[in-house]
Amino acid sequence: MAPRPLALITAGLILTGTAALCRETLNVYGASRARDQAEALRENGEYDQAWRTLEAALRVTPNAAELWTELGQTYRAAWFFRLKPELLRSALQAYERAESLNPLSAAPPAELARTFALAGADREADRAFLRALRHDPRNPGLLVDRAQTLEKLGQRPAALALYRAAAHIKPNEYSQAAEERLRSRP
């Protein structure tokens, strides 16, 4: 008895779907492995090898937002220790790419904001913290980070309100110190 055309089509679709699922699983595994490798390399100060590892993984999975975020962290760490402006630009571009790929995640704009803050670009940092907080408004770490940025910008009442909001969610030493510091100043 010859196979029926519908059975052949169904079998073909199942095989195609299975192959796609296997390919996606391998991509996720490869991305996770690349992130782990890059993190270990970065912790050892091997920034060039770390970003080459991530860039190789991104050639396979160019739309992996978490790889772009990890790449941004690698470039940021290298910039911090090497003080090369092109590394800062690369970090900012990687975070922006991650944010464009995963616009609902707080992580890329939060890391972008922290990078701007390290670079002394406090207004840009504040804008990025606002985007991150839209996605994770009760994150005490983000609230404290934004409060610190507002404090640098001279917006003490707004900063104090954020420190208090963070402390309400989770008591922390940053909010306690800020409470004393900002209350005691005119």
Side-chain angles (χ1 to χ4, degrees):
M1 179 169 167
R4 295 181 299 191
L6 185 57
L8 289 174
I9 291 171
T10 302
L13 289 173
I14 290 171
L15 287 174
T16 301
T18 302
L21 182 60
C22 289
R23 189 172 42 255
E24 184 61 28
T25 300
L26 285 174
N27 286 344
V28 169
Y29 173 75
S32 177
R33 187 156 185 243
R35 285 177 49 215
D36 292 345
Q37 288 174 342
E39 184 178 350
L41 289 164
R42 190 174 61 238
E43 287 174 1
N44 289 326
E46 298 177 48
Y47 305 115
D48 297 22
Q49 186 59 38
W51 71 61
R52 280 195 293 272
T53 298
L54 292 165
E55 288 168 349
L58 282 164
R59 283 192 287 280
V60 176
T61 54
N63 294 327
E66 68 279 357
L67 287 177
W68 285 101
T69 300
E70 191 75 26
L71 184 61
Q73 290 173 328
T74 301
Y75 280 126
R76 179 177 66 199
W79 163 73
F80 186 79
F81 290 107
R82 295 180 183 172
L83 298 176
K84 292 183 177 180
E86 65 272 12
L87 294 172
L88 174 60
R89 281 191 299 276
S90 294
L92 296 173
Q93 289 169 349
Y95 290 132
E96 288 167 353
R97 178 74 173 129
E99 187 175 5
S100 73
L101 290 169
N102 192 357
L104 299 179
S105 174
E111 295 303 329
L112 180 66
R114 290 179 182 116
T115 304
F116 277 132
L118 278 172
D122 296 321
R123 294 206 186 289
E124 292 84 353
D126 185 47
R127 285 193 289 272
F129 278 129
L130 281 171
R131 290 195 310 276
L133 283 163
R134 257 187 256 130
H135 304 299
D136 195 359
R138 295 192 40 81
N139 182 315
L142 284 176
L143 291 168
V144 165
D145 288 345
R146 180 162 185 249
Q148 290 171 338
T149 299
L150 289 176
E151 194 173 347
K152 289 180 198 172
L153 290 169
Q155 299 178 25
R156 289 183 33 229
L160 186 56
L162 286 176
Y163 282 123
R164 287 175 177 162
H168 182 71
I169 295 167
K170 182 178 181 186
N172 63 81
E173 66 275 5
Y174 301 105
S175 294
Q176 291 170 347
E179 184 76 35
E180 294 169 21
R181 182 179 64 251
L182 294 175
R183 244 192 352 208
S184 64
R185 280 198 218 153

